[in-house]
Amino acid sequence: MNGQGYQLLLPVKSSDSSREDDDVSSAPSFTRRDVGRRFRLGFLISLAVITLCALFLKRDKPLLTHSLINDDDLGLDKCAAPLALAAKPPAPTNPWASLTVSEIATIQKWLEAPERKLNLTRGSDAVLSDNVVYLVEAYYPPKADALAYLAGGNAPDRYSRVIIHHGGSDFPTIKNYIVGPLPVSERTTMRALTEIYHESEIPFNARGFVNIAELHDVFKFISSELSDALEDLFGATARGNDNDTLIASAGGPFSFDGKTRKTWFSLRRNLPGPWLLPINFWQYLDVSGTDPSLWKALKVVYNHQIFGSTEEFLQSYRNGTLIRVPKQSSVKPEDFSWSTRKRVGTPRDLDHLPGPRSVSFAGLRFRVDQATQYISWMGWGMYLGFDRDMGLNFWDITLKGERIIYQLAPQEAIAQYAGNDPLQSTTAWQDRHFGMGLAVRDMLPGYDCPHEAVYLPATTHSALGAFVREKAICVFEQDTGRPVTRHTGYMEGEFGAVKGYMLTVRSISVVGNIRIPNIDKDYQFDYMFHIDGTMEVRLSASGYLQGGYWEPLQEGYGGRIREHSMGNLHDHVINYKVDLDIAGSENSLLETIAAQEIVEQPWLEDDEWGRTVIQQNITRRIIETEDEALLKYPTNFQGHYSIVNQNKTNAWGAPRGYAIHAGYNPIHNTVVGSRRLLNNANWARYNLAVSLRKETEPSSSSMWNMNLPGKPTVDFHKFFDGENITQDDLVVWVNVGTHHLPQAEDSPNTKTTVAMSSFLLTPLNYFDSDISLDSTNAILLSAPSHPGEPWGFDDYGVKQDFTCVPETPPPFEYVDPKVYDEDGRLKESGSVEDMRKMAEMYHRIKVEL
């Protein structure tokens, strides 16, 4: 089916404050007694006035005032400071820890040494034809080595992964290396890292962005004559001036198999929320290779007219054959304030008061070891890791001293769009390419996380240096507001409840403010641990849509949200790696399905009920090979999949296991067969998949997969080659996501109440009974001895009414990350405009002619 309303035009040959203290020198003098007497008199008068007002004036809203009663008069002590107690990690070193700034600088210096013969240029000064260190980060040790260390052995050697753009080679390419052992010494060596990829070569055209200089060479496609035409057609400018009202952004993927690099450029209004403000103009650019003089504009699309070059478009504009977009009939200029996040509307009743907040009156109940980033809570324990590609990850998750999960980590996030224009119909993002870990920003205290949350830092690296974000991760416990179990009963031991608490570890990645064109989405990664042994992995999203230009032929591809703006239909699918170790690493995949059956039983009579019963029946099956383990959830969710250890049972003879349950929005990708996701995101076709764990298959994707759908460096389907998966070390690949059908309420930003998805891991005969009953934050009621008397209760000595005066939260503060250069020296903070250029990169290209 051809795009609606478009026509291909035949080519036409042509050349191508400070405030001063008050002056008190002339004020009359008073003695201390005079001052005290006047203060007391004034206080009594004020108190009388307030009392009269309270008695005789009707008050519509409660006032937010300070109490006239001292805390001491209430007999309350100050609460313990919200500081986490020190945790005791099972091993003194985190084998999955990120590299420090000094380690990164030392490796950079080692790489730059003449004996390496790499001829490197530093990222801030590099052009495409230079050799540049693109990434330096920790390379995780083999599982066997890490487990041996946790069991009391020697710590595994540390290595780093190094990516270099060899733009200065005769045949430009990208190469991965392993450098180590660390710290750098005479033992340190460098070798190619190829065993984790399905392709031996990584094409240069699949590269990531190094610095803003690459974009300067794109500006030549907006000539002064084109700028004049754009101003005439849209009343907006792109001339390279500070007050330009147009900016550009690009769409991806940029390549199919690495042979070329092409992108659709979209122009948008340079206003807050430009992602929602596109205009009806696109350019298709060829930016292949390292020589920008060879780059060219292949097409221009304007108002459903397709031109073979910019010159063809301009010639049609000059000679009057261009079919223009009708101008607005209203003389009143269009109001774009709707695309900002500024408060609008009438304030809601009582909303002038701060809402409820969580306070741990008796002190925080989780422990943190800052040095190793190890956390423990209510029998749970875990190490944290962090990387450039996907950010926060977890290692050695234990419960009551037993390992449940060796590794839990997000792998990739895709967003595939639809539309009746060149950009939307060709967009299929894979966010790993741009670095979701690199895109993490500091939390907003009190808004992103509760006031008493504990924050942990994260260090990432790019070609421009190392970034340290002090509040990249937050940890907090909260009351879920509902009991985890309860029952009303009358016999002894029947009536009671266990309070529902959970620990949340959170990180937020700002996808779009870190070089992803056209979209500005904040992804909230939540990992929630419950006292019954359940773990929930949840992803929520909020932010600006990848807005399209609305006109009637876009009907069916999204929803109109303003006069010329729309939200385009798209899918989000995010993949997680879950390396479960259930009572050891020898595990199997169990399928449990409930289905209908019709049975006759000997005790049934041939009366009005009949001799047959229609009921459910459970079928359990061990899935034996990888080829059978590319899975979708059972119809109507009549069952589940689980990882079990057939050789280890609970007291009742059932194999110990953990079940994988769908949470919110258990989706997979809608579109199958698109060339833009041909083989580079095959995992998105399923709800989950299970494969044999291999050191050569550490991830379902790579940072280059987005630009190589026809020849991906990691092809997920190649993991599944018929191998047996019974009683072996297995990995579960689980998907979450949303089918986003945009609506008016998505403007200006989408909401986490709807845009969220999750999955749960919960004990399946792992224990002999419900372990939440060991919690003393519970109550057990007993019937009264005499009718009408209150029920007795046992709260196990935990006084839920314990009260103290909480600390005042510190004043709100938000700061930029610390940025270090290649030598490990702290850089001076840049201007807001400079930070915005680097953060948004291809997403918001400020024209500089």
Side-chain angles (χ1 to χ4, degrees):
M1 177 180 177
N2 293 326
Q4 297 182 49
Y6 285 88
Q7 54 178 316
L8 177 63
L9 304 185
L10 295 176
V12 178
K13 292 184 178 180
S14 61
S15 59
D16 214 345
S17 64
S18 67
R19 179 180 174 184
E20 296 182 359
D21 293 337
D22 294 333
D23 184 3
V24 296
S25 58
S26 60
S29 60
F30 297 99
T31 67
R32 182 174 298 176
R33 181 178 298 173
D34 292 333
V35 172
R37 188 161 45 241
R38 291 184 178 220
F39 176 81
R40 288 192 293 273
L41 179 61
F43 175 79
L44 291 173
I45 293 172
S46 299
L47 184 60
V49 171
I50 292 172
T51 303
L52 289 171
C53 290
L55 289 172
F56 297 107
L57 296 180
K58 180 180 179 180
R59 186 155 50 94
D60 291 332
K61 296 181 180 179
L63 297 175
L64 182 60
T65 60
H66 293 289
S67 173
L68 296 176
I69 304 175
N70 291 327
D71 296 334
D72 294 339
D73 296 333
L74 296 174
L76 297 178
D77 294 328
K78 291 286 187 181
C79 294
L83 302 174
L85 298 174
K88 297 179 180 179
T93 299
N94 181 348
W96 309 281
S98 302
L99 297 178
T100 65
V101 171
S102 61
E103 285 177 320
I104 293 170
T106 302
I107 294 168
Q108 176 84 27
K109 183 178 179 180
W110 186 85
L111 293 168
E112 290 176 343
E115 53 266 34
R116 306 285 98 75
K117 297 180 181 180
L118 293 171
N119 190 27
L120 296 173
T121 301
R122 292 195 167 180
S124 55
D125 301 319
V127 295
L128 288 175
S129 55
D130 288 327
N131 296 342
V132 180
V133 175
Y134 185 74
L135 178 65
V136 178
E137 70 177 3
Y139 191 70
Y140 300 133
K143 182 175 180 178
D145 294 352
L147 293 184
Y149 168 60
L150 294 175
N154 295 326
D157 286 335
R158 279 169 57 79
Y159 288 84
S160 68
R161 173 195 183 199
V162 173
I163 297 172
I164 297 179
H165 288 188
H166 290 275
S169 301
D170 293 337
F171 299 97
T173 188
I174 300 167
K175 289 187 178 180
N176 258 300
Y177 301 96
I178 293 293
V179 174
L182 302 176
V184 169
S185 67
E186 293 181 355
R187 296 175 56 221
T188 301
T189 60
M190 180 177 183
R191 72 167 179 86
L193 173 63
T194 58
E195 63 268 24
I196 64 173
Y197 302 114
H198 295 121
E199 296 292 336
S200 58
E201 297 292 332
I202 304 171
F204 193 75
N205 283 321
R207 69 186 181 277
F209 303 108
V210 171
N211 59 38
I212 200 72
E214 178 177 346
L215 302 180
H216 292 161
D217 294 309
V218 179
F219 299 149
K220 68 180 181 180
F221 297 112
I222 303 180
S223 64
S224 59
E225 186 178 3
L226 178 57
S227 297
D228 291 339
L230 292 173
E231 184 171 10
D232 177 36
L233 295 170
F234 301 105
T237 60
R239 301 185 181 279
N241 300 325
D242 290 341
N243 62 350
D244 273 352
T245 53
L246 285 177
I247 56 172
S249 60
F254 307 127
S255 181
F256 177 69
D257 55 10
K259 294 177 181 176
T260 61
R261 186 178 177 93
K262 300 172 184 177
T263 183
W264 279 101
F265 257 43
S266 168
L267 289 175
R268 300 170 182 270
R269 297 190 183 276
N270 188 21
L271 294 167
W275 308 276
L276 300 178
L277 305 173
I279 64 173
N280 193 345
F281 184 89
W282 298 269
Q283 286 180 294
Y284 189 40
L285 307 181
D286 186 336
V287 291
S288 305
T290 61
D291 186 356
S293 68
L294 301 178
W295 295 357
K296 53 185 177 291
L298 302 176
K299 285 187 179 70
V300 170
V301 176
Y302 166 77
N303 194 24
H304 300 283
Q305 300 156 90
I306 307 167
F307 302 91
S309 67
T310 304
E311 178 55 33
E312 286 182 24
F313 166 76
L314 290 173
Q315 185 171 343
S316 180
Y317 169 76
R318 293 187 208 108
N319 63 29
T321 59
L322 187 70
I323 303 172
R324 296 179 173 231
V325 176
K327 290 192 174 181
Q328 291 179 265
S329 57
S330 173
V331 294
K332 185 179 179 180
E334 191 170 353
D335 180 11
F336 294 106
S337 62
W338 63 270
S339 65
T340 75
R341 287 189 49 84
K342 293 181 180 179
R343 201 195 68 77
V344 296
T346 304
R348 302 187 186 193
D349 183 36
L350 302 183
D351 196 34
H352 67 293
L353 301 174
R357 78 169 189 261
S358 176
V359 176
S360 297
F361 287 105
L364 300 186
R365 303 197 309 163
F366 58 91
R367 298 175 182 270
V368 177
D369 183 71
Q370 295 273 352
T372 60
Q373 294 210 332
Y374 181 83
I375 301 169
S376 63
W377 173 78
M378 297 292 143
W380 288 96
M382 66 209 73
Y383 286 96
L384 306 187
F386 205 93
D387 62 33
R388 175 262 181 206
D389 283 5
M390 295 302 296
L392 177 64
N393 47 68
F394 292 76
W395 300 86
D396 190 37
I397 299 176
T398 59
L399 179 59
K400 290 180 170 288
E402 283 193 90
R403 182 176 304 107
I404 305 289
I405 298 174
Y406 174 71
Q407 180 190 7
L408 169 61
Q411 299 297 297
E412 183 62 278
I414 68 167
Q416 186 172 17
Y417 286 77
N420 190 36
D421 67 54
L423 183 76
Q424 305 286 355
S425 62
T426 61
T427 295
W429 297 120
Q430 294 191 39
D431 297 341
R432 189 183 186 116
H433 176 78
F434 301 95
M436 296 188 79
L438 190 61
V440 163
R441 293 291 183 268
D442 272 7
M443 302 289 188
L444 305 179
Y447 297 89
D448 290 332
C449 307
H451 280 291
E452 65 175 19
V454 171
Y455 295 93
L456 295 172
T459 301
T460 54
H461 176 263
S462 80
L464 299 176
F467 298 79
V468 178
R469 295 171 177 87
E470 297 295 340
K471 293 181 173 134
I473 304 163
C474 73
V475 186
F476 57 93
E477 183 185 9
Q478 64 188 121
D479 187 338
T480 64
R482 62 179 182 179
V484 67
T485 66
R486 80 172 310 281
H487 181 72
T488 302
Y490 301 92
M491 298 189 70
E492 183 180 356
E494 281 188 341
F495 192 0
V498 177
K499 289 180 71 68
Y501 292 106
M502 69 180 183
L503 183 80
T504 298
V505 184
R506 174 176 294 164
S507 183
I508 295 179
S509 180
V510 187
V511 180
N513 262 342
I514 187 72
R515 307 169 188 167
I516 294 189
N518 307 312
I519 183 174
D520 188 67
K521 191 77 70 177
D522 291 14
Y523 284 110
Q524 178 176 299
F525 292 88
D526 282 348
Y527 302 86
M528 294 169 283
F529 301 85
H530 297 262
I531 64 171
D532 68 335
T534 295
M535 180 179 176
E536 181 180 358
V537 178
R538 182 187 297 177
L539 183 77
S540 309
S542 182
Y544 286 98
L545 294 165
Q546 176 171 302
Y549 181 82
W550 168 261
E551 42 88 21
L553 292 179
Q554 291 278 19
E555 185 66 47
Y557 294 110
R560 184 181 186 180
I561 59 176
R562 274 306 187 276
E563 185 68 24
H564 298 296
S565 297
M566 67 177 292
N568 284 77
L569 172 67
H570 60 283
D571 280 354
H572 290 282
V573 190
I574 298 89
N575 184 241
Y576 288 84
K577 178 182 181 179
V578 189
D579 182 358
L580 287 153
D581 282 355
I582 305 301
S585 59
E586 295 181 351
N587 296 160
S588 297
L589 172 60
L590 174 66
E591 176 187 66
T592 303
I593 300 293
Q596 180 174 298
E597 69 168 6
I598 302 175
V599 295
E600 291 190 9
Q601 298 290 2
W603 55 80
L604 296 175
E605 296 291 340
D606 192 10
D607 56 14
E608 67 270 24
W609 296 109
R611 294 188 60 84
T612 61
V613 170
I614 302 176
Q615 61 183 9
Q616 292 186 83
N617 175 271
I618 295 174
T619 301
R620 296 182 177 91
R621 176 176 74 100
I622 294 294
I623 295 177
E624 296 185 349
T625 68
E626 287 180 325
D627 291 347
E628 302 174 79
L630 294 162
L631 305 167
K632 294 179 181 176
Y633 288 123
T635 302
N636 197 34
F637 299 101
Q638 293 172 200
H640 60 255
Y641 295 96
S642 54
I643 300 298
V644 301
N645 190 328
Q646 297 184 80
N647 297 330
K648 299 291 178 67
T649 61
N650 67 4
W652 322 119
R656 299 178 70 192
Y658 255 72
I660 303 136
H661 288 288
Y664 300 100
N665 286 321
I667 75 156
H668 52 80
N669 204 28
T670 302
V671 176
V672 175
S674 166
R675 285 180 64 79
R676 288 166 178 81
L677 288 177
L678 189 62
N679 290 312
N680 57 350
N682 288 325
W683 50 265
R685 302 182 184 191
Y686 315 100
N687 292 124
L688 69 156
V690 179
S691 66
L692 202 62
R693 188 193 183 279
K694 297 179 181 178
E695 296 293 343
T696 55
E697 296 173 349
S699 177
S700 60
S701 188
S702 80
M703 69 167 70
W704 307 284
N705 262 30
M706 183 185 82
N707 293 329
L708 297 168
K711 199 176 182 182
T713 51
V714 176
D715 186 340
F716 185 68
H717 272 167
K718 291 184 178 179
F719 291 8
F720 298 83
D721 50 7
E723 291 182 285
N724 187 280
I725 55 171
T726 57
Q727 289 305 104
D728 212 324
D729 198 358
L730 305 181
V731 170
V732 185
W733 311 89
V734 188
N735 291 332
V736 299
T738 57
H739 300 304
H740 197 162
L741 285 66
Q743 57 195 48
E745 290 82 3
D746 285 323
S747 100
N749 289 169
T750 57
K751 303 176 296 298
T752 59
T753 51
V754 177
M756 69 173 167
S757 184
S758 64
F759 67 92
L760 293 92
L761 304 169
T762 190
L764 177 69
N765 300 312
Y766 189 85
F767 301 103
D768 297 335
S769 61
D770 173 22
I771 63 166
S772 73
L773 283 180
D774 64 15
S775 174
T776 53
N777 272 258
I779 193 167
L780 187 67
L781 282 76
S782 55
S785 302
H786 301 93
E789 292 184 350
W791 285 60
F793 67 89
D794 182 2
D795 61 8
Y796 302 104
V798 180
K799 300 303 180 183
Q800 300 294 339
D801 57 356
F802 175 77
T803 308
C804 53
V805 180
E807 282 194 349
T808 301
F812 179 82
E813 182 182 51
Y814 183 81
V815 296
D816 295 318
K818 295 177 182 178
V819 184
Y820 297 83
D821 66 15
E822 292 89 343
D823 296 314
R825 297 173 301 197
L826 184 64
K827 292 184 178 182
E828 292 185 5
S829 298
S831 68
V832 172
E833 180 62 24
D834 289 340
M835 289 188 291
R836 187 179 179 191
K837 284 180 182 178
M838 285 311 305
E840 296 176 355
M841 197 66 96
Y842 251 54
H843 183 37
R844 172 193 169 270
I845 303 169
K846 181 72 167 61
V847 178
E848 298 178 3
L849 300 177

